[in-house]
Amino acid sequence: MDLSRIRNIGICAHIDAGKTTVTERILYYTGKNYKMGEVHEGTATMDFLEEEQQRGITIQSAATTCPWSLAGVDYKINLIDTPGHVDFTIEVERSLRVLDGAVAVFDGKEGVEAQSETVWRQADRYHVPRLCFINKMDKLGADFEYSFGTIKDRLGANPIAVQYPIGQADTFEGIIDLIAMKAYYFDASELGAKVEERDIPDDLRETAELWRHEMIEKAADFDDALMEKVLADEEPTEAEIKAAIRAGVISRRCNAVFCGSALKNIGVQRLINGVVEYLPAPTEVPEVQGVDPKDESIKLHRPHDPSAPLSALVFKIVTDTHGDLTYCRIYSGTLNSGQRVLNPNSNKRENVSRIYEMHAKERIPLEAATAGSIVAVVGLKNSATGDTLCDPEHPIVLERMAFPEPVITMSIEPRTADDKRKLGEALTTIKREDPSFRANYDEETGQTIIAGMGELHLEIIKNKLVRDMKVGVEVGKPRVSYREAISGSAENVRGRFVKQTGGRGQFGDCVINVEPCTQEEAEAQGIEYKDGVAFENKIIGGAIPKEFIPSVAAGARSAAVSGVMAGYPLIDVKVTLVDGSYHPVDSSQVAFEQAGRLAFNEACQKAGLTLLEPIMKVTITTPDEYFGAVTGDLASRRGMIVNTEERGNTRVITAEVPLSEMFGYATTLRGLTQGRANSVMEPLAYRPLPPNLAKEVAETV
C-alpha cells in the first residue's frame, strides 16, 4: 500500500477514560470485528489476557490493523491500545516510541486527570502529534467546555475544537462538525453504524458560529493563504481549513479536539476520519535517526522508503508456546519472510522465519512487510526490547528507549526444588517481556528479589507465575527500594590496592574528591553520568596512565551500585580523580578498579551518608464530605498536600507522600469514603529519609 495511506496510531489516556471502548468501536466500524466487545463484560478484543478480563483494565498494549475508506480512498490504520495505569507506564512508553500519531482520550466530566498528564509528557518526549477525543459526553456531569479548558490549562496545549456536542450528559444525542457546519446523529438501533446528517439545531447555531470563528482564527496561524483570507474577511473552504489544521497537528503546534461517547456509539466514525485527515503518514514524520555501530559519533538516517536499506526497531516481546513473538516497527526498507538480518546491538545475525500482521492475539501471516508497517516476527533469538534490526550490509543503531527504574521490591520463594528450577526460567522470560521488571538473587539472604513499578505490577507478575507458568511460589511483603546519597563532600581521599603474592603483584593508587551532583547538573557540565555517578578526570602530568583511568571510574561505579551504608544503590555523586601513582610492572586495570572502589567507599563515608526514599505524587478525587478524613489520613502518612481543587461537589487533592507509607492505600481509601473516592500514584522523586527512620531502615538490612 502507498505509504501516504498508512496511519500508525495509539490510543492513550488516564485510567477509565474509555480507551479500550473507543478501540472496540473503531474495530467494529472498520469491519475488523463483526461484534462489539465490552470491557465491563470482559469481552473486549484488545483485553485478551485473563487478568485483563477479570479486572476490566488494560495491562499490556495490544496491536491491530484495520482498513478505513474516506472519500473513496482506502487507508490502513495500525492501531495500538495502551494501558492507563501508571504501573504499566512502560507499555505506553514503548508504544509511543514507534508510533507516528496518537489519540488522547479524556473523560467528559473529569477533563485532564493525573495520568493524562504523564501520557502527554511521554508523547512530548517522543515528538508524537496528537488528536484529542473528549469521551463520555453522555456521563452525568459531562461538560465539553470545562474539559476543553483543562487541555489548555493543565497540559499547556493549543487545542482547536473541530466539533461541538449537541447536548451533554443525558441530553447528549449527536455532534456538530464545525468545519462543514452540519449536525450528525447516530442511529442507536444500528449501534451507531448509521449516521444521519441534518442542519444544526437553531438553539446551538450561535454557539457553533462562535466556536467555528475561533477555530478558523487559530488554524490561520499555520497557513499563510488561510491567514490572507481571514484578514480579507473571505469565507475559507473546508479543504483549506483542514489543510491548515493538519499542518498545525503534524508540526505539534496544535491538537484537533473531537467529542462523543464510545459506549453510546456516538462520534467514533468521525474520529477515524480525523485520524486519516489530521495525523501524519509515515512519510510526513522526520526520517528516523541513528548512529554507526562502529563509530557512534557518525550520525546516520534512513528514508521512509521500501527500497532503502532495512531498519526496524524491536519494541515489545511476547513469549509464546510456539516461540517468542517480537513486535517491530519497520522504518525503512522491506522485511521478507525467511530473511537474515543483523542486530547491531548484540552484533548477531538473526533469522526472521515468519512475519505476522497482528489483530490482538490473532495472527495473519505475511510474506513481506515494508516501511511504515508494525508487525510481529518469529525466529529472533538474541533481540531485546529497544534493539535495532537492519540490513547486514548497511548497519545502523536506532535510538534506544529509556526504561523507568523500579520503585518497589518484594521477596519471592519457590515452594519445591522443581519450582526453583522453573522460577529461574520464568523470571528470565518475564524480564525479556517487561523491561521495567527486575529480578535478582540476594546471596546474603538466599532470597530472590523482584522489583517493579507498583503493587499492582508485582501482583500481576505473581499471578502470571502461578497461573500461566505453573510455578509454585510464596511471596513476601512489598518493600521500598531506597537509595543512598552523600550529604556533604570529601577531598583528597586515597585508595591504595597493593598485593604481593610472589611473581607479578598488583598495584593501584588513586586520590579522589566526592561531592553531591544530580544527573541534570552533570549533563550541564558535560560530564558522563552513569549508575548514579558523574566521573571527571583531572589528572595532570600522567600521574596515572590514560588506560587505567576508566578502571577507576568503573570501580567507583560498581561500589555505588552495591551501596556503602545499607546495601542500596548510591546515587547523585560526582567523583573527581585528582592524583595517584602507578607501578610500571605491577599496575593493571583490575588493581585500579579495586583502588577506585576503596577510595570511593572511604570518601563517601567521610562525606556523610544519608538514605533517600521514593516520594510518590498522589492525586485523589473524593466527594466533598470526605475531604477532612482523606487529608487527615494523608497527614498521618507523612504526606504533604500540594494542591486542592474544587470540581463541582468533588475535591481533587494532589499530595506528595513517601511510598513506604502507601502500601494498601487503595483499600484504606475505599474504607474512608465508602468506595466513592479514587486515587492514582506516580513516582516523583527521591528525597532524604528523616534520620530516625533512616537509622531504623539501615538496622533492618
Side-chain angles (χ1 to χ4, degrees):
M1 186 175 241
D2 179 356
L3 276 183
S4 65
R5 296 189 193 169
I6 293 176
R7 300 288 181 274
N8 291 314
I9 66 155
I11 309 277
C12 47
H14 183 88
I15 310 152
D16 285 343
K19 295 173 297 300
T20 303
T21 308
V22 169
T23 308
E24 291 300 320
R25 299 309 182 254
I26 290 175
L27 296 180
Y28 178 74
Y29 297 130
T30 55
K32 195 76 191 182
N33 278 1
Y34 63 89
K35 182 171 167 284
M36 284 187 191
E38 298 293 1
V39 175
H40 54 271
E41 291 171 4
T43 55
T45 309
M46 304 300 263
D47 287 353
F48 56 83
L49 296 179
E50 192 180 328
E51 193 86 46
E52 293 179 313
Q53 291 168 354
Q54 286 175 355
R55 292 172 184 266
I57 61 169
T58 304
I59 290 168
Q60 67 171 24
S61 50
T64 187
T65 300
C66 32
W68 188 245
S69 194
L70 179 63
V73 179
D74 290 337
Y75 292 88
K76 183 166 113 176
I77 299 173
N78 292 321
L79 179 89
I80 296 182
D81 174 32
T82 65
H85 202 289
V86 68
D87 283 24
F88 312 111
T89 186
I90 182 70
E91 291 288 335
V92 185
E93 186 95 18
R94 57 178 165 193
S95 302
L96 287 170
R97 169 70 174 82
V98 297
L99 294 170
D100 302 326
V103 176
V105 181
F106 301 100
D107 183 310
K109 175 175 179 268
E110 308 294 343
V112 172
E113 298 174 84
Q115 195 58 22
S116 329
E117 294 181 41
T118 308
V119 170
W120 198 266
R121 285 198 303 270
Q122 287 172 314
D124 278 341
R125 188 157 64 241
Y126 292 117
H127 313 301
V128 179
R130 275 142 280 174
L131 301 182
C132 301
F133 181 63
I134 297 177
N135 188 26
K136 302 197 177 184
M137 284 307 302
D138 59 318
K139 186 177 174 181
L140 190 66
D143 184 337
F144 177 80
E145 295 190 16
Y146 165 76
S147 296
F148 183 85
T150 63
I151 295 172
K152 204 184 312 184
D153 302 338
R154 293 190 199 146
L155 300 176
N158 178 21
I160 298 181
V162 293
Q163 294 179 345
Y164 192 80
I166 301 169
Q168 39 200 30
D170 49 3
T171 62
F172 179 60
E173 53 178 345
I175 52 180
I176 296 167
D177 185 327
L178 298 173
I179 297 175
M181 285 305 270
K182 291 282 182 199
Y184 292 94
Y185 295 83
F186 298 77
D187 189 340
S189 64
E190 297 273 339
L191 291 173
K194 210 166 154 192
V195 184
E196 196 185 324
E197 186 183 295
R198 296 187 213 160
D199 286 335
I200 295 171
D202 292 340
D203 60 329
L204 283 172
R205 181 156 279 284
E206 195 182 324
T207 308
E209 291 286 0
L210 281 169
W211 279 85
R212 176 183 166 82
H213 179 71
E214 187 186 334
M215 171 189 73
I216 293 171
E217 275 203 339
K218 281 183 168 180
D221 290 345
F222 314 116
D223 190 306
D224 294 342
L226 182 61
M227 179 65 86
E228 282 171 24
K229 277 202 163 184
V230 169
L231 294 172
D233 256 354
E234 290 176 38
E235 186 60 30
T237 65
E238 284 185 37
E240 286 171 331
I241 299 170
K242 284 180 178 175
I245 294 174
R246 179 179 175 81
V249 170
I250 291 176
S251 61
R252 302 192 345 274
R253 288 182 291 164
C254 76
N255 306 94
V257 180
F258 294 75
C259 63
S261 163
L263 195 63
K264 291 279 164 66
N265 312 315
I266 297 175
V268 177
Q269 296 96 315
R270 311 294 301 171
L271 174 67
I272 310 171
N273 288 349
V275 164
V276 167
E277 288 172 335
Y278 302 118
L279 288 177
T283 49
E284 292 168 300
V285 293
E287 290 186 352
V288 67
Q289 303 294 315
V291 295
D292 186 324
K294 291 191 177 73
D295 182 355
E296 292 191 4
S297 64
I298 300 173
K299 301 278 183 265
L300 302 171
H301 57 88
R302 292 281 184 266
H304 306 286
D305 183 351
S307 57
L310 173 73
S311 69
L313 187 79
V314 172
F315 69 95
K316 184 177 162 79
I317 293 168
V318 177
T319 307
D320 195 273
T321 45
H322 311 298
D324 289 359
L325 262 187
T326 306
Y327 284 76
C328 308
R329 160 71 198 264
I330 303 171
Y331 285 100
S332 65
T334 302
L335 182 66
N336 295 299
S337 191
Q339 185 175 342
R340 294 274 290 169
V341 295
L342 173 70
N343 176 342
N345 302 86
S346 62
N347 200 21
K348 289 192 173 159
R349 301 278 176 115
E350 294 274 37
N351 195 33
V352 176
S353 54
R354 286 191 294 285
I355 305 173
Y356 295 107
E357 184 180 278
M358 295 304 292
H359 173 47
K361 61 180 173 183
E362 289 171 32
R363 310 173 182 189
I364 299 147
L366 301 173
E367 280 306 307
T370 59
S373 305
I374 291 177
V375 292
V377 301
V378 173
L380 305 188
K381 299 273 190 294
N382 302 300
S383 295
T385 301
D387 281 1
T388 304
L389 301 176
C390 64
D391 180 340
E393 302 301 311
H394 301 90
I396 182 173
V397 176
L398 304 179
E399 187 190 347
R400 288 190 76 101
M401 300 178 218
F403 300 124
E405 283 294 315
V407 293
I408 185 170
T409 64
M410 71 185 186
S411 61
I412 188 161
E413 299 275 346
R415 286 185 182 150
T416 65
D418 189 41
D419 286 332
K420 187 174 183 178
R421 182 184 53 77
K422 287 198 293 195
L423 180 64
E425 290 169 18
L427 292 177
T428 307
T429 301
I430 296 172
K431 274 201 287 196
R432 280 199 70 197
E433 284 189 7
D434 182 354
S436 63
F437 168 75
R438 310 281 159 84
N440 61 304
Y441 184 71
D442 187 329
E443 294 284 349
E444 284 180 29
T445 61
Q447 288 179 317
T448 299
I449 305 293
I450 59 174
M453 298 306 295
E455 283 183 275
L456 180 63
H457 187 197
L458 292 185
E459 190 184 326
I460 281 164
I461 280 168
K462 181 203 133 188
N463 291 351
K464 188 172 186 172
L465 284 168
V466 174
R467 191 175 55 209
D468 302 345
M469 297 174 155
K470 308 282 185 282
V471 184
V473 290
E474 298 286 346
V475 295
K477 279 203 169 80
R479 289 177 57 204
V480 176
S481 185
Y482 293 99
R483 295 285 182 271
E484 296 178 11
I486 54 173
S487 47
S489 56
E491 291 190 349
N492 298 324
V493 178
R494 185 176 289 274
R496 276 172 68 90
F497 181 73
V498 184
K499 233 178 181 179
Q500 207 65 47
T501 50
R504 190 179 159 183
Q506 295 281 11
F507 182 90
D509 172 32
C510 64
V511 178
I512 63 168
N513 300 342
V514 295
E515 61 190 293
C517 176
T518 64
Q519 185 166 358
E520 291 75 25
E521 288 165 353
E523 282 166 3
Q525 294 173 41
I527 302 167
E528 187 193 21
Y529 181 97
K530 190 177 152 198
D531 294 336
V533 177
F535 183 84
E536 189 176 14
N537 170 29
K538 283 199 174 167
I539 290 280
I540 305 164
I544 299 176
K546 271 202 180 91
E547 66 265 28
F548 297 139
I549 286 164
S551 302
V552 178
R557 287 186 170 126
S558 70
V561 168
S562 45
V564 177
M565 172 188 184
Y568 294 107
L570 196 148
I571 59 167
D572 293 347
V573 58
K574 179 182 172 187
V575 174
T576 310
L577 179 60
V578 290
D579 199 4
S581 63
Y582 72 103
H583 188 282
V585 177
D586 290 353
S587 283
S588 67
Q589 289 176 336
V590 173
F592 271 100
E593 198 171 312
Q594 290 299 331
R597 272 191 90 101
L598 294 167
F600 183 82
N601 283 336
E602 192 182 328
C604 289
Q605 277 164 345
K606 276 191 176 166
L609 288 156
T610 176
L611 271 184
L612 305 178
E613 62 177 340
I615 303 291
M616 308 300 278
K617 178 185 171 190
V618 186
T619 307
I620 301 149
T621 309
T622 174
D624 251 346
E625 61 259 43
Y626 303 112
F627 178 74
V630 171
T631 51
D633 179 63
L634 285 172
S636 73
R637 295 170 184 270
R638 295 193 286 127
M640 186 171 75
I641 292 164
V642 180
N643 188 26
T644 63
E645 187 186 333
E646 283 186 46
R647 289 190 204 164
N649 57 358
T650 62
R651 293 279 192 104
V652 179
I653 305 162
T654 307
E656 295 175 2
V657 195
L659 174 64
S660 58
E661 306 285 348
M662 293 302 283
F663 291 133
Y665 182 66
T667 313
T668 308
L669 185 65
R670 277 199 296 272
L672 283 174
T673 61
Q674 296 177 3
R676 289 171 62 197
N678 61 40
S679 68
V680 287
M681 272 199 302
E682 59 177 307
L684 178 69
Y686 273 94
R687 292 197 189 135
L689 196 60
N692 57 328
L693 292 174
K695 193 169 172 235
E696 231 173 83
V697 171
E699 281 167 4
T700 59
V701 172

